[in-house]
Amino acid sequence: MVDSVFVMPGTVAAPRTGTLRDLHNRYEAVREALTLIDKAARELGLPDISTRLIEDAAGERPYSPEVHYLEIFAVSLATYHLLVAEGVEPVAIVGQSIGELWALAVAGHVSVGDAARLAVARSRALTRQAWPGTMLAVGVDGRRAESLAGLIGHPHLVLACENTPRQSVLSGPRQQIDEAERVAEALGWPSVRLDVPHPTHTPAVAQAARDLRASAPRVSYGGGRWRVSSPWLGRDIGDEDPVELVAGALTAQVRMLHTVRALHAAGADTFIECGEWPVVTRFVEASVPGVQAVVPLSEHDPVAAVRALVASRTDTAPPPVRTPAPLRVPASPPPVAPASPVPALAVVAPPPVATTTPVVPAAPSVLTPPTPVTPASPVTVDPPRPAPDADRRYATVLAEIRALYGDYLGYPPELLGDDDALESDLGVESLKQVALLGRVADRYGLPDLRANTSLLTVGTLRRIAQAVVQAQAEATAR
């Protein structure tokens, strides 16, 4: 499979308990990799990282930003070994934000232990600075997001990440992010706060970058097995100092959109996410029409999913794809005057927890790193069907909601089935679902509807209409 790119997520949601149990049992390389991460963690005064990932550990998860980062690293590394063991080899590896460090490790440019130690040093440098900023995912292109930041005019409020043609992330002081959020709302641009432990990709964290350069353990850089394409350098990584790479990325803009398009233009047509959730691959699908995006760990049987992918490529015998040439991404365009307030109609949700790899909580990778849906089908309880005397009201509400969603999404209303899953069947990203549910709540005067997370994780028009009718009935009864 000479046309595959492996993508490494940045700060995403915490992995599920036991998520690596099967891979740990099957592959010696996975066991060895987790042993190396555990060893580095213990040397740094942290608990073993693998225990919760390979066992159904009971009790509270020992949380700290360092543990969180190393768990994500462990999952990325294990997925990489699964892919290689089953015959999938990349033409390039790309990492989102801190995921670039995972990319260097799996490519063989730095050791697993050094990558773990550098990730912890990075986290601790950011914690020491304790910069009180935050990040905001906005459902518009980078040019508009940058214009929004320029309109507010604070040196630390900047375009941090350009993830897709209609998804960007701002990073800056809370007061200025509050102002940007209000302006975005006035313009009709969907937006969502990112729940990240360390807001980055802004000049505001320059102190942490200096601290990291001075305090991080020296890391040797060796000849790796695979090329690593950097979304912030705009090129392949050469013989750079790993500490300098990680420190430099803290204040740099991440241009994932341009990196993905450059790799695709050079021949790559399959992007495989080495993580538990479709976060970075959501960015890929929104940036390159028709590209194949694969997330093995989101499948019920990851090993079978990878083998099926390999078999499908073998059976179809595609023509050879040229190996992408070294990546060169144009320099970031200069700021432009505020763009006309054109509402964005499509937004890709970023990952679950926070990240510079924006993952947005209610929409998320960005505007929050949408909270990823776990591989197992979510267990939800649908709102009870309206009583017979409410059937007419239910039919009216359903028709109104169908028209509202169709108009927003650009679909003929008759093509929207009552039971079509908004995300899996209709491709409505999390951020757009948040925006649409907000419109429904406003239309019917039901502010509490915005907090009904089950309508986002397993939303259908039928369930939303039932929830509206039920809420109206309860309000009338009160």
Side-chain angles (χ1 to χ4, degrees):
M1 299 178 65
V2 296
D3 55 350
S4 298
V5 173
F6 292 178
V7 294
M8 303 287 161
T11 310
V12 292
R16 291 165 299 144
T17 297
T19 192
L20 297 182
R21 181 169 52 251
D22 184 47
L23 300 190
H24 179 269
N25 292 337
R26 284 178 182 255
Y27 303 103
E28 177 64 25
V30 172
R31 293 193 290 273
E32 292 176 352
L34 294 181
T35 297
L36 291 172
I37 292 179
D38 284 343
K39 180 176 182 294
R42 288 194 297 270
E43 291 172 352
L44 294 164
L46 299 172
D48 281 356
I49 300 301
S50 66
T51 302
R52 198 183 70 86
L53 302 178
I54 63 177
E55 302 175 5
D56 288 324
E60 288 293 319
R61 168 178 177 260
Y63 178 80
S64 73
E66 291 78 28
V67 169
H68 191 134
Y69 291 133
L70 293 186
E71 285 188 339
I72 298 168
F73 180 26
V75 171
S76 295
L77 191 57
T79 308
Y80 164 81
H81 284 299
L82 156 66
L83 291 165
V84 173
E86 296 299 334
V88 185
E89 296 187 348
V91 293
I93 303 177
V94 177
Q96 171 81 349
S97 190
I98 194 175
E100 192 164 288
L101 182 54
W102 319 150
L104 290 173
V106 302
H109 293 296
V110 300
S111 71
V112 170
D114 281 343
R117 285 184 281 273
L118 188 47
V120 171
R122 172 189 183 273
S123 176
R124 290 175 175 173
L126 287 165
T127 298
R128 284 193 293 272
Q129 179 175 348
W131 177 61
T134 188
M135 303 181 84
L136 179 74
V138 186
V140 295
D141 61 90
R143 184 178 66 85
R144 286 187 172 87
E146 200 162 39
S147 296
L148 173 57
L151 181 67
I152 293 170
H154 190 286
H156 291 165
L157 177 65
V158 297
L159 172 63
C161 306
E162 190 172 8
N163 292 327
T164 79
R166 288 183 179 271
Q167 183 181 99
S168 306
V169 176
L170 299 178
S171 184
R174 292 185 183 278
Q175 181 178 345
Q176 280 67 40
I177 288 289
D178 289 344
E179 189 174 350
E181 193 170 30
R182 288 192 294 270
V183 174
E185 182 179 6
L187 294 174
W189 296 352
S191 66
V192 109
R193 293 290 181 101
L194 299 185
D195 180 20
V196 293
H198 297 124
T200 53
H201 304 301
T202 165
V205 294
Q207 177 184 322
R210 290 190 293 270
D211 184 1
L212 180 61
R213 290 184 176 97
S215 64
R218 292 302 96 185
V219 175
S220 59
Y221 187 94
R225 184 179 180 187
W226 316 112
R227 59 182 282 211
V228 176
S229 298
S230 171
W232 76 270
L233 289 176
R235 58 171 172 79
D236 290 350
I237 292 177
D239 191 19
E240 281 91 358
D241 174 10
V243 173
E244 181 58 41
L245 281 172
V246 174
L250 288 177
T251 57
Q253 181 185 114
V254 177
R255 305 181 71 206
M256 182 60 70
L257 167 65
H258 303 277
T259 298
V260 167
R261 285 182 166 174
L263 288 167
H264 180 260
D269 69 353
T270 300
F271 290 76
I272 305 175
E273 183 142 2
C274 294
E276 197 175 10
W277 315 111
V279 177
V280 185
T281 44
R282 291 278 182 82
F283 303 159
V284 172
E285 291 175 310
S287 303
V288 185
V291 73
Q292 182 174 18
V294 182
V295 189
L297 289 193
S298 70
E299 302 292 338
H300 176 69
D301 186 340
V303 176
V306 172
R307 290 175 178 173
L309 175 64
V310 172
S312 69
R313 288 307 178 98
T314 302
D315 294 342
T316 55
V321 179
R322 64 187 184 285
T323 300
L327 177 67
R328 292 286 177 180
V329 175
S332 300
V336 296
S340 302
V342 179
L345 297 182
V347 174
V348 178
V353 158
T355 156
T356 300
T357 239
V359 176
V360 185
S365 5
V366 139
L367 293 191
T368 274
T371 299
V373 178
T374 55
S377 301
V379 177
T380 58
V381 178
D382 286 349
R385 270 302 305 269
D389 59 354
D391 280 349
R392 180 174 299 179
R393 177 58 183 158
Y394 165 76
T396 299
V397 169
L398 180 61
E400 292 171 348
I401 289 176
R402 182 182 290 109
L404 186 155
Y405 274 63
D407 178 65
Y408 186 93
L409 299 171
Y411 292 160
E414 60 272 15
L415 294 184
L416 302 179
D418 297 357
D419 296 307
D420 288 344
L422 292 174
E423 183 164 7
S424 60
D425 293 333
L426 300 176
V428 184
E429 303 91 343
S430 302
L431 183 58
K432 289 169 71 174
Q433 290 190 53
V434 171
L436 282 163
L437 192 59
R439 292 192 176 198
V440 172
D442 292 342
R443 179 183 185 117
Y444 296 102
L446 301 171
D448 291 346
L449 202 66
R450 296 174 183 269
N452 190 333
T453 57
S454 72
L455 296 181
L456 298 174
T457 56
V458 285
T460 66
L461 298 185
R462 183 189 303 279
R463 294 191 69 248
I464 294 170
Q466 290 171 356
V468 167
V469 172
Q470 180 184 358
Q472 288 180 324
E474 292 172 351
T476 301
R478 289 198 297 269

